[in-house]
Amino acid sequence: MTELHPELRDNVRMLGELLGESIRKHPGQDCFDLIEEIRAAAKADRRQESGSDQRLVNLLSQLTEDQLLPVTRAFSQFLNLANLAEQYHGIRRKQGHHADVMVESLGDVFKRLKDQGISAEELHKRVTELSVEFVLTAHPTEVTRRTLILKYDEISNALGQLDHSDLLLAERNEIISRLRQLVTEAWHTDEIRHQRPTAVDEAKWGFAVIENSLWQALPRFLRSLDQSLIEATGKGLPIDATPMKIASWMGGDRDGNPNVTHEVTREVFWLGRWMAADLYLRDVQTLRAELSMWEASDELLEEAGHSREPYRTVLARLREKLLKTRDWAEACINGEPADSAGILFENADLVRPLQLCYDSLVASGLETIADGLLLDTLRRVHTFGLPLVRLDIRQEATRHADAVGEIVDFLGLGDYSNWTESERQAFLVKELQSRRPLIPRNWQASDPVREVLDTCAVVAEQTPESLGSYVISMASQPSDVLSVILLLQEAGMTNPLRIVPLFETLDDLRLAPATMSALFQIDWYRSYCKDRQEVMIGYSDSAKDAGQMMAAWAQYQAQEKLTDVAGEYGVHLTLFHGRGGTVGRGGGPANRAILSQPPGSVNGSFRITEQGEMIRFKFGLPRLAEQSLTLYATAVIEATLAPPPGPEKQWREMMDWLTERSLKAYREVVRENPDFVPYFRQATPEQALGKLALGSRPARRKASGGVESLRAIPWIFAWTQMRLMLPSWLGSDVALSEAAKAGHEPLLRDMMARWPFFKTYVDMLEMVLAKSDLRIANYYEQTLVEPELRGLGEELRQRLGTCIEQVKLLKQQDELLIDEPVFAHSLRVRNPYTDPLHYLQAELLRRDREGEQRGEVPEQVERALKVSMAGIAAGMRNTG
């Protein structure tokens, strides 16, 4: 059995002991002893010592209301500290320590590709043209407050300082004293938000990730890419190459979120410019101090008015412009009169003086100086620009159709909602080619339509560098795309914007290739998009709609067919993957996922959402972010130059056979069983999730309604909390059992051995099953579910057990995670801390529901319930 790495084990133990010291002081020794007794009982329970499960349950059910909160907080806080130690360990391994999981270096991947016959020219061309864009989204899965995240970052820094072998005893003691202070601060900080963050708060959180982590990580990554490229091909990375870009949905995603208005979006654009100006100011001030040389090119001397310190003169002027830009943005945010004279608005205005300094240093033989902070700053400018991030706009298709419909109705042209698709297309293309405005001046739009038009007006005011994509959810027809272009054109938009249909339900995915083919047949549109198209694949909703196995296969086939359709019309296709952190929402290890995409679908460009707590796990610290950038870059380069094999005919037939069964089995439970929704509501904390002030979006698209109206994130969150993990395996259990009975296992093993898509699917399924827990799910049921609904729970647990057995059988192993010993051990270490939280949560839910029936829930119960949800999310390393 793999044990934790000694340094990781020591860090976990040390942080746990420091937390224990804080608890001993407050609430006191009695509370500490009780927590230790619960932890010992949970460990004994895991070892299945006789009577241990009853001892744990008895201890927890006897807690007084005053004990509930400190006990819940203690286990939750320990899990956060264990995560932090693990996260730090991932970075220190990269610094030359023993490796459990190493991110393969750029150089190693380049060497392997060259060994496979890829020429140096082809490799250089593909790397310099690479386009990977991370889209930060404020999906409400980040449970941890930003106040605590900053403390945890400080703890990581302190662990890094301890990691030196030459520390004097006094230095070591000083660092441990700082750690003690930080752990105590965290213990005495309320971990639960009491106010739901606004959409602007979420955007600020996204900007903070750039300021605290990506700002340092990105130039370091590009430096490493440049060096590896020189070693592999003899040529480096052009200064203006932007293989990695950052976009955001925070403040732009209005789908189902009435809190994101055009005013919010405008404020977020200004905030981005304020933050960017502030960050560049810091760089330029440091550069001014460093670039004290007098040797310069004639061009720079002329620009500097033949000053003795020409670099400082040019940079001083740039600093003044950045100060003006920051003041202008601040005035705009505060609603004050803003003077835009002399501000930096276009990226080129910022690039020019920096490039002039760079070229001058190189021409003067001072490349060593040019290639320091100045080069890093130039690369930041090319990547982040003056807007800091590219903001995506997302809105539902019907909102645009309603807007066009209202205009058409006012003009007396008919009833747009009853027009056929070809009539809509003909009208939209005609108006797009017309030189006269469509919207009359004296027209009064309804409030929802006015909001759509005002959003288009805000978008039209921005520079092209400020904008990512305009994503249309629930898109199903070419007119959905054309109507958005028309509304933007009417608002004064002159630069073409990427208009991206999002296909997310099973039916949408199946119809996507035909929809895109119809769109590409419109000559006007092909000319508009310049033969470049982005299409978004939604993972969460398709899995909720059809079950994970069917959704994964439908996504794969849609991507294959979309790639073929784009190829047929000579269009360069970028697939935008709307993946979550959990397997039920398309999550899982990124490099495996990318390398299992259909061949040809990752054609040098890749766009992906990074959501909620996954942003922190991947980009929360500079070294971690650098590692994540490397991981994605190598995977996209490899999937482009050495794509995986496509499926053989019999593999496709087998997937069709499996998914036909999995879809039926999934929907029979989720859609057709009348007991399912009541069971879901009673057995999981779904109804209580609204109490966690997670994000600015409501948990439901509609105020009432069943599973179909619930967002994918709370749907997954709820099942994860009680460890049934249902969305990720339901349906697969039946498909794999029937395949075994029919003697198909040799074929399935062949598919696992030779087809990355199927192997990744089975590996992800195994990881989720390892996180499930039949005893805990049973305890929630016994505590919370009416007796007449328990039969369904019994059946679901039996099916989960069957699925676990089928995966072990298929992989020919006696237990799960034989190939993932580090992940398996990490789960085992967490269990004595997550188990009490689960049993506590079931008890708290019972008390909470009883309190609601009486008309009052004790504050300690409600607070402890929220902490239990956050703690379990930390223990499981994901929420939704």
Side-chain angles (χ1 to χ4, degrees), residues 264-550:
V264 164
T265 299
R266 185 182 275 132
E267 185 176 345
V268 169
F269 277 124
W270 286 330
L271 271 168
R273 286 184 175 271
W274 185 92
M275 184 84 247
D278 192 63
L279 287 167
Y280 290 124
L281 260 171
R282 297 176 212 176
D283 279 3
V284 167
Q285 275 160 338
T286 311
L287 282 169
R288 246 193 111 237
E290 284 189 9
L291 301 187
S292 51
M293 306 80 231
W294 70 86
E295 291 144 298
S297 65
D298 293 344
E299 264 183 290
L300 186 77
L301 286 168
E302 197 164 318
E303 181 78 16
H306 298 278
S307 128
R308 284 186 182 174
E309 294 184 319
Y311 299 95
R312 285 181 164 174
T313 304
V314 168
L315 290 169
R317 284 185 208 146
L318 183 57
R319 185 186 61 184
E320 289 314 305
K321 285 188 174 181
L322 283 165
L323 282 166
K324 269 188 180 174
T325 305
R326 191 178 65 178
D327 292 346
W328 164 82
E330 191 167 341
C332 290
I333 293 161
N334 296 333
E336 296 161 2
D339 179 12
S340 61
I343 66 160
L344 296 167
F345 203 64
E346 306 277 349
N347 283 357
D349 299 337
L350 180 54
V351 170
R352 197 183 148 273
L354 294 169
Q355 188 69 49
L356 197 61
C357 291
Y358 183 88
D359 293 342
S360 171
L361 286 167
V362 171
S364 308
L366 302 172
E367 292 95 336
T368 313
I369 298 168
D371 287 338
L373 175 62
L374 181 54
L375 178 61
D376 286 349
T377 305
L378 267 166
R379 287 198 163 134
R380 284 182 184 125
V381 175
H382 285 297
T383 301
F384 297 110
L386 283 162
L388 194 64
V389 294
R390 293 161 184 271
L391 192 66
D392 275 17
I393 305 294
R394 180 168 78 136
Q395 182 58 282
E396 203 194 336
T398 52
R399 293 291 300 274
H400 311 121
D402 290 348
V404 174
E406 236 177 73
I407 298 164
V408 165
D409 181 57
F410 179 80
L411 295 171
L413 299 174
D415 182 354
Y416 185 77
S417 62
N418 283 333
W419 289 2
T420 64
E421 174 59 19
S422 54
E423 285 171 332
R424 289 184 178 198
Q425 285 181 31
F427 168 77
L428 293 165
V429 170
K430 180 167 139 291
E431 289 302 328
L432 282 161
Q433 292 171 319
S434 166
R435 291 185 178 181
R436 59 161 177 71
L438 173 67
I439 299 176
R441 283 187 176 179
N442 58 346
W443 171 58
Q444 288 292 307
S446 65
D447 288 348
V449 168
R450 172 52 48 207
E451 178 54 41
V452 169
L453 298 176
D454 287 345
T455 298
C456 289
V458 169
V459 171
E461 292 165 4
Q462 309 308 317
T463 59
E465 302 99 55
S466 309
L467 300 165
S469 302
Y470 194 120
V471 179
I472 312 166
S473 50
M474 301 297 171
S476 58
Q477 302 288 352
S479 62
D480 292 332
V481 172
L482 297 172
S483 59
V484 173
I485 305 173
L486 180 61
L487 293 170
L488 286 168
Q489 191 170 291
E490 287 294 312
M493 186 97 184
T494 51
N495 295 298
L497 179 63
R498 294 194 303 252
I499 310 296
V500 180
L502 161 56
F503 301 108
E504 44 196 335
T505 65
L506 187 57
D507 288 343
D508 287 348
L509 288 168
R510 285 173 171 163
L511 295 169
T515 301
M516 295 314 295
S517 182
L519 187 60
F520 294 152
Q521 283 167 28
I522 300 168
D523 292 339
W524 182 90
Y525 179 74
R526 289 275 304 285
S527 158
Y528 169 87
C529 75
K530 298 187 171 63
D531 286 337
R532 297 186 80 79
Q533 180 65 46
E534 186 178 306
V535 172
M536 184 167 182
I537 303 290
Y539 286 71
S540 316
D541 284 298
S542 51
K544 185 162 74 75
D545 176 37
Q548 180 59 29
M549 183 184 257
M550 178 75 248

Side-chain angles (χ1 to χ4, degrees), residues 476-762:
S476 58
Q477 302 288 352
S479 62
D480 292 332
V481 172
L482 297 172
S483 59
V484 173
I485 305 173
L486 180 61
L487 293 170
L488 286 168
Q489 191 170 291
E490 287 294 312
M493 186 97 184
T494 51
N495 295 298
L497 179 63
R498 294 194 303 252
I499 310 296
V500 180
L502 161 56
F503 301 108
E504 44 196 335
T505 65
L506 187 57
D507 288 343
D508 287 348
L509 288 168
R510 285 173 171 163
L511 295 169
T515 301
M516 295 314 295
S517 182
L519 187 60
F520 294 152
Q521 283 167 28
I522 300 168
D523 292 339
W524 182 90
Y525 179 74
R526 289 275 304 285
S527 158
Y528 169 87
C529 75
K530 298 187 171 63
D531 286 337
R532 297 186 80 79
Q533 180 65 46
E534 186 178 306
V535 172
M536 184 167 182
I537 303 290
Y539 286 71
S540 316
D541 284 298
S542 51
K544 185 162 74 75
D545 176 37
Q548 180 59 29
M549 183 184 257
M550 178 75 248
W553 180 227
Q555 289 148 12
Y556 186 93
Q557 290 176 294
Q559 290 176 55
E560 275 189 316
K561 289 173 185 157
L562 286 165
T563 302
D564 291 345
V565 165
E568 195 185 317
Y569 288 94
V571 171
H572 180 279
L573 178 71
T574 296
L575 288 165
F576 179 10
H577 301 264
R579 305 168 78 93
T582 55
V583 172
R585 298 187 41 247
N591 56 336
R592 290 192 214 174
I594 294 168
L595 291 167
S596 64
Q597 300 299 313
S601 67
V602 183
N603 188 14
S605 59
F606 193 83
R607 212 166 186 254
I608 188 165
T609 54
E610 291 295 353
Q611 304 183 340
E613 85 285 1
M614 299 316 292
I615 294 174
R616 187 157 53 96
F617 291 153
K618 291 180 184 178
F619 302 107
L621 300 167
R623 290 277 175 209
L624 202 61
E626 198 182 336
Q627 222 167 291
S628 296
L629 293 171
T630 303
L631 189 84
Y632 275 95
T634 53
V636 172
I637 292 163
E638 191 160 358
T640 299
L641 287 170
E648 293 178 3
K649 184 168 179 285
Q650 59 176 355
W651 300 352
R652 284 184 190 280
E653 288 165 358
M654 190 69 240
M655 281 310 299
D656 289 339
W657 188 93
L658 287 168
T659 51
E660 188 187 323
R661 283 152 182 78
S662 73
L663 175 65
K664 183 170 180 285
Y666 178 84
R667 285 187 172 168
E668 271 173 2
V669 173
V670 173
R671 289 194 178 181
E672 293 162 28
N673 189 325
D675 289 346
F676 179 74
V677 172
Y679 176 84
F680 169 58
R681 296 266 154 80
Q682 289 179 33
T684 75
E686 185 255 335
Q687 302 276 306
L689 284 178
K691 297 181 181 188
L692 270 183
L694 286 175
S696 66
R697 272 158 59 124
R700 289 184 176 279
R701 287 188 165 87
K702 300 185 181 72
S704 61
V707 172
E708 69 288 343
S709 72
L710 191 71
R711 290 192 181 282
I713 292 159
W715 162 248
I716 304 259
F717 193 124
W719 290 111
T720 304
Q721 291 276 306
M722 53 87 75
R723 297 290 278 275
L724 198 58
M725 316 298 286
L726 175 134
S728 300
W729 61 262
L730 186 64
S732 302
D733 58 313
V734 169
L736 294 176
S737 299
E738 292 193 12
K741 281 181 201 148
H744 292 317
E745 287 201 320
L747 175 58
L748 295 182
R749 288 192 189 115
D750 183 38
M751 288 160 67
M752 277 171 62
R754 297 194 292 129
W755 187 20
F757 164 77
F758 191 67
K759 178 171 177 14
T760 300
Y761 175 74
V762 175

Side-chain angles (χ1 to χ4, degrees), residues 797-867:
R797 286 197 308 284
Q798 277 178 359
R799 288 176 63 169
L800 171 56
T802 302
C803 199
I804 291 169
E805 290 310 311
Q806 288 302 329
V807 169
K808 290 196 296 195
L809 202 64
L810 185 59
K811 296 193 91 171
Q812 297 174 299
Q813 54 194 43
D814 296 330
E815 55 183 280
L816 296 174
L817 299 180
I818 296 281
D819 302 333
E820 298 280 351
V822 178
F823 177 64
H825 193 71
S826 168
L827 280 180
R828 281 196 293 274
V829 168
R830 284 174 165 71
N831 282 332
Y833 300 90
T834 46
D835 288 1
L837 284 174
H838 286 295
Y839 290 118
L840 268 168
Q841 187 182 77
E843 175 63 23
L844 289 162
L845 282 166
R846 188 182 63 73
R847 294 190 196 187
D848 183 68
R849 289 172 189 178
E850 284 173 2
E852 283 187 342
Q853 283 171 348
R854 287 196 309 272
E856 59 164 336
V857 178
E859 191 200 347
Q860 296 287 66
V861 169
E862 185 147 314
R863 280 191 67 195
L865 178 56
K866 290 177 183 178
V867 174

